[in-house]
Amino acid sequence: MPSQYDPVESPDETTLFPYHDRTPPKTADVYRARRVVRRTLPRTPLVRSEPLSAEFDADVYLKREDTLPTGAFKVRGGVTLAADLDDAFRDPGLIAASTGNHGQSVAYAGRTFDVPVTVAVPRDANPSKVTAMERLGADVVHHGDDFDDAREHAEELAAAEGYRYVHSANEPKLVAGVGTAGLEIVEDLPEVDYLFSPVGGGSSAAGYCLTVGELADATVVGAQSEAAPAMYRAWDEGHLDPADEMGTFAEGIATRVPFAMTIDLLRDRLDDFCLVSEDAIRTAVRDLLIEESLVAEGAAAASVAAMRGMRDELSGKTVVLPISGRNLDTEKHRTALGE
C-alpha cells in the first residue's frame, strides 16, 4: 500500500462550490445510503460465472450492476445524493459532467425526486448514453473534446446559474450510495478473497473498499487502462497531476485529472492497482459477450484484464467481478468483436 501523502491542491470545484464536502465517507455512511437505495432501486444479482471460474480455476462471481435501471452502478449514488438535496437547489436543479453513466445516474435521480437536471458531455459522447439521459428528462449540453472539458464547462454553468453541481466522484453521498453494492455482496457471499473494480473517478472502487474490503477483509484491486493512467499515477506516486495522455477505448474510465477525495480513500484502503492494455480490454469485452452473453462496457472488461494479469494468485480463491455497466456503443462493440 502506498504511503500517505498531503495532496497539492489546485483551483477546482471546491473553490467555486463551498457546499462540496471532501471528507471521505465511512462504512456507516454506506449503511445510511442503503435506506434510500432500498426504496428506489432493485437489488442486483450476484451469480457464479462458469466460464471465468473454469478459466481461473477459481470461484468467480459477477455482481450484475448492469441490471440496474440505467444499466450501470452509478445510479446508486445519484439517488442517494438527490434524496437529501437542499431546498435551495430544487428549482435551479442539478448539473453534472459525464461521458454517460454518471449523467444517466443524475438524470434518473432528478426524475425520481422531481428535480431538473442538466448534463454536460463531450462532443463525441456515446450517442446511446446521450439518448438515455434525454429520455430520463435531462437537458444535455455538448462541450469539449473529453470528459474534463465537459466538467469544466459544467462547473462554469453551475457557478453562473446556481445549479447544484454534482461531481462524478468528489461527493461523499455519491460514494456511499455506490458502496451499497458492496453491502449486497457481503450479505450474499461473506467469504470473498478478491474483488476487482474498474477505476475512473474512483467512486466504485472506494465503495468496495469500504464494504467488501472492510467487512469481508477481501483484497480489493483497481483496474485502469494504461492509456488513461491519471488515477493510477495519483495512487502510486502521491500527487494530483493530470495525465499527459488520455485515449482509452473504455469511456467509463477515461479520466485525465485525478480526484482528491477518492484518491485519499483509495491510497488508504485499495490493496492493489493494475494498469491494463487497450487490447486486453477489447479482448475482455469480446470474451464476456461470447462466453457469458453479456454486453459489458470497457470499464468492466478492464477488471477482467486485471484478473488475467494476476492469474496465478487467484487459483482456488473466491473472486467477485462487478459488471459495472452495459452501455457500450455499437461501434465499439463491432471493434471488439472484429478483433
Side-chain angles (χ1 to χ4, degrees):
M1 182 184 301
S3 60
Q4 290 301 295
Y5 77 127
D6 183 15
V8 177
E9 298 288 357
S10 58
D12 61 8
E13 83 283 348
T14 46
T15 304
L16 296 171
F17 314 119
Y19 51 76
H20 273 186
D21 178 8
R22 274 198 176 165
T23 305
K26 297 178 172 59
T27 304
D29 297 310
V30 183
Y31 279 99
R32 294 185 187 97
R34 187 163 65 168
R35 299 170 187 169
V36 175
V37 172
R38 276 178 164 172
R39 295 198 310 266
T40 55
L41 296 171
R43 187 184 182 97
T44 62
L46 182 70
V47 295
R48 191 175 192 271
S49 167
E50 297 302 332
L52 289 174
S53 294
E55 176 182 345
F56 290 97
D57 188 27
D59 291 316
V60 180
Y61 291 82
L62 307 180
K63 180 59 171 169
R64 295 290 306 275
E65 295 293 273
D66 58 304
T67 64
L68 286 165
T70 61
F73 75 96
K74 283 183 177 286
V75 69
R76 294 175 180 269
V79 296
T80 300
L81 186 145
D84 194 32
L85 185 65
D86 191 292
D87 288 342
F89 294 112
R90 291 197 171 273
D91 287 337
L94 305 170
I95 189 168
S98 179
T99 55
N101 286 335
H102 176 55
Q104 289 182 69
S105 162
V106 177
Y108 184 92
R111 188 179 72 174
T112 300
F113 294 101
D114 195 25
V115 177
V117 171
T118 301
V119 182
V121 303
R123 281 188 289 265
D124 65 348
N126 182 327
S128 63
K129 291 183 180 181
V130 170
T131 299
M133 287 184 268
E134 292 173 336
R135 285 174 178 162
L136 290 168
D139 178 20
V140 179
V141 178
H142 290 79
H143 183 89
D145 295 328
D146 61 21
F147 166 77
D148 289 292
D149 288 339
R151 175 183 56 79
E152 291 167 3
H153 187 58
E155 291 170 8
E156 292 168 359
L157 290 174
E161 304 296 333
Y163 302 124
R164 180 14 171 124
Y165 174 56
V166 184
H167 193 281
S168 59
N170 282 340
E171 298 276 4
K173 289 180 181 177
L174 188 152
V175 173
V178 301
T180 59
L183 295 182
E184 295 175 8
I185 290 171
V186 174
E187 289 168 353
D188 292 343
L189 190 69
E191 296 180 358
V192 180
D193 297 308
Y194 285 85
L195 182 140
F196 288 79
S197 175
V199 178
S203 62
S204 178
Y208 287 124
C209 286
L210 291 170
T211 53
V212 182
E214 175 73 16
L215 302 174
D217 197 27
T219 297
V220 181
V221 182
Q224 190 171 46
S225 169
E226 62 187 17
M231 289 289 283
Y232 172 82
R233 290 180 181 172
W235 177 84
D236 185 54
E237 300 169 11
H239 59 69
L240 296 177
D241 297 340
D244 295 330
E245 68 271 26
M246 203 290 296
T248 179
F249 165 90
E251 72 264 20
I253 51 175
T255 304
R256 175 162 45 90
V257 178
F259 300 146
M261 190 193 78
T262 46
I263 280 295
D264 282 349
L265 202 156
L266 293 177
R267 282 182 62 86
D268 184 41
R269 292 175 177 264
L270 187 68
D271 297 295
D272 203 353
F273 203 154
C274 301
L275 287 180
V276 297
S277 72
E278 288 290 287
D279 287 345
I281 293 173
R282 287 189 287 266
T283 297
V285 168
R286 180 199 66 199
D287 292 347
L288 286 168
L289 179 63
I290 293 172
E291 298 290 340
E292 293 281 359
S293 299
L294 277 179
V295 176
E297 295 180 24
S303 295
V304 177
M307 289 173 61
R308 286 171 170 166
M310 296 176 60
R311 185 183 305 275
D312 292 344
E313 298 175 42
L314 303 182
S315 178
K317 303 297 185 181
T318 299
V319 183
V320 174
L321 171 71
I323 303 298
S324 52
R326 66 170 185 258
N327 300 313
L328 183 68
D329 72 52
T330 303
E331 188 55 39
K332 288 185 176 180
H333 226 153
R334 287 197 187 107
T335 299
L337 288 173
E339 294 177 354

